[in-house]
Amino acid sequence: MVNDYYRIADLKYIAAGAAILASGGGGSYLDAVNIIKEFEATGWSGAIPVQEYDGATNCCVLAMMGSPDAAANMTLSDVNHSIANTISTFQQAAGFVLSCVIPVEIGAINTIVPFLAAAQTDNSISWVVDGDGAGRAVPELPQTSYGGSPNLAVSPCSLANNAGTLTAIQSATLKAGSAAQMEALAGSITSAFGSFAGIALWPSNISNQYALSGNYIKNTVSQTRALGQFLLTATTPPPTAIVACKIAELTDRAAVPVLTNFYITAIIQTTTSGSLDAGIIRLDNSPDQSKSTETHYLYNLNENLIMYSSLGSVPNIIAPDSICYYSESNGLGFSNATNDLALYFNSETGKSTGSTVSIIKVNAAPTLCKTPGVVASFAELLRNIGYAGALPYPQELESGI
């Protein structure tokens, strides 16, 4: 049943593909690149099986949670210790041993975390599920296909810090009746740990008839890897339109360029009490605001949620559709983490670096939008940042989903 085996090169491809598909979230791409370099330097030369969930293996969702800016310059040690501490805490709470794990979302950090877990020798995790809960990165747990399942309980949920010694480990196991309740609890714990933590939740084992089956979006890891391979093996940076076509081809979701070769000319970014980075990014068709004839504003909460044009009366793009970054200057995507944005905006001068930024709209995965509660959850996030207008996929919203 194994679909493929992923090695170091494949992790590099995943990070590059996720840097676009994550819609601005999922962790810093530069941090992911550096973590993979550190991992490669350890001499690891294994191969990790990747396949669809078999409905018969102990599994859970595994991720890093928190603010990308608070976790700036995250290292392999940070991730490995967080993973090890979290898995140990979770297995004790859940009462079973994990044999596979699945990403919570598509993101440069969060899609490689399960692979780093499977590579560790101090656990029994031997393979990674080819899928995730959103087909993009999301601000909170309720915006996933896992969160709307009636038979896949979110509890127990375990979090742990990145301590490397037993006496310094901080961990917590939480119980809650919904993904929204768990988000509130886990966000507070994450902030107490220092704004990032490992997190394991949504257990799938014999006690719930391996309920992950049917509650995740299939093949998103392999799609992300294929996009990254396309980008990293290109001889020159592909045009934005070609990248959009490639995304549509791989994901079977419509993808279109909305902005091509604009510039980031202003950024406002803060970190919330729930360990989320909230920001507004201005994009102009000139690196100099005074010479711009077209301006767009992109609002994010870790992930990009909505983009407006100064020339239009309605938003360009609204979540749950993805608002994806790509640069023809280097042929790569990036996130809203400060170290990623620094390639495109100089915070010291308050000006564009001159590197171009394109925005690609990618339609939300159908499985995500049809999950009970997901569209309504995105609507609540949007209302909280001041948008209460119409959303894509109104039938899911109106039906009480």
Side-chain angles (χ1 to χ4, degrees):
M1 188 174 177
V2 174
N3 295 342
D4 208 345
Y5 291 89
Y6 284 13
R7 297 170 172 80
I8 291 285
D10 299 294
L11 300 189
K12 295 176 182 177
Y13 294 150
I14 288 172
I20 293 181
L21 294 176
S23 192
S28 160
Y29 174 59
L30 289 181
D31 283 356
V33 168
N34 290 330
I35 287 167
I36 295 168
K37 284 180 180 177
E38 286 187 83
F39 187 41
E40 188 172 22
T42 67
W44 186 83
S45 59
I48 298 169
V50 180
Q51 64 185 63
E52 290 188 12
Y53 187 55
D54 59 6
T57 301
N58 292 344
C59 186
C60 78
V61 174
L62 183 67
M64 297 295 294
M65 184 177 191
S67 157
D69 280 348
N73 303 312
M74 184 182 289
T75 66
L76 178 64
S77 175
D78 290 331
V79 176
N80 276 344
H81 286 138
S82 296
I83 288 171
N85 298 340
T86 300
I87 289 171
S88 175
T89 304
F90 176 83
Q91 290 183 151
Q92 292 178 37
F96 66 85
V97 175
L98 292 165
S99 295
C100 68
V101 285
I102 184 171
V104 67
E105 63 186 2
I106 295 302
I109 294 290
N110 269 337
T111 311
I112 66 170
V113 161
F115 290 92
L116 296 175
Q120 291 182 352
T121 58
D122 59 353
N123 66 56
S124 59
I125 297 168
S126 59
W127 56 280
V128 174
V129 179
D130 185 2
D132 81 300
R136 52 164 289 163
V138 293
E140 299 175 339
L141 300 175
Q143 293 102 46
T144 64
S145 62
Y146 311 126
S149 169
N151 58 336
L152 182 65
V154 69
S155 302
C157 168
S158 296
L159 299 99
N161 69 352
N162 62 334
T165 61
L166 286 174
T167 56
I169 292 174
Q170 295 176 305
S171 65
T173 295
L174 309 173
K175 291 185 179 180
S178 69
Q181 292 170 347
M182 189 62 78
E183 174 68 34
L185 293 171
S188 298
I189 295 294
T190 300
S191 182
F193 285 170
S195 293
F196 75 90
I199 183 169
L201 66 172
W202 281 302
S204 178
N205 70 340
I206 194 169
S207 69
N208 61 5
Q209 288 75 53
Y210 302 98
L212 177 64
S213 298
N215 289 311
Y216 73 99
I217 303 171
K218 294 182 179 180
N219 304 318
T220 54
V221 173
S222 54
Q223 292 166 3
T224 303
R225 180 210 165 276
L227 177 61
Q229 183 179 31
F230 169 75
L231 296 171
L232 294 184
T233 58
T235 54
T236 58
T240 303
I242 297 299
V243 174
C245 287
K246 190 67 176 179
I247 292 170
E249 172 192 323
L250 292 169
T251 65
D252 200 27
R253 293 151 55 190
V256 294
V258 176
L259 304 181
T260 300
N261 294 334
F262 271 58
Y263 303 86
I264 295 177
T265 61
I267 296 176
I268 300 172
Q269 201 95 324
T270 59
T271 300
T272 71
S273 59
S275 295
L276 295 171
D277 293 329
I280 304 171
I281 292 176
R282 174 172 170 161
L283 298 121
D284 285 283
N285 62 356
S286 166
D288 184 342
Q289 288 186 10
S290 67
K291 297 179 181 178
S292 175
T293 58
E294 185 177 344
T295 301
H296 297 255
Y297 293 93
L298 206 168
Y299 292 72
N300 65 70
L301 194 62
N302 277 14
E303 288 71 27
N304 297 328
L305 292 178
I306 191 166
M307 187 172 77
Y308 291 96
S309 168
S310 61
L311 303 178
S313 58
V314 296
N316 301 119
I317 318 172
I318 313 173
D321 288 338
S322 296
I323 306 171
C324 301
Y325 290 128
Y326 173 69
S327 175
E328 291 188 12
S329 293
N330 54 28
L332 297 170
F334 56 96
S335 77
N336 287 316
T338 297
N339 58 350
D340 277 1
L341 291 172
L343 295 175
Y344 309 95
F345 180 76
N346 187 323
S347 59
E348 293 184 0
T349 64
K351 296 181 179 180
S352 168
T353 63
S355 292
T356 61
V357 173
S358 296
I359 299 293
I360 299 172
K361 173 189 173 184
V362 181
N363 280 13
T367 300
L368 180 66
C369 293
K370 292 176 182 177
T371 299
V374 165
V375 174
S377 182
F378 274 109
E380 183 177 358
L381 288 178
L382 288 160
R383 284 195 297 271
N384 289 341
I385 62 173
Y387 177 79
L391 267 74
Y393 319 104
Q395 65 277 12
E396 281 79 9
L397 188 62
E398 291 169 3
S399 64
I401 290 177

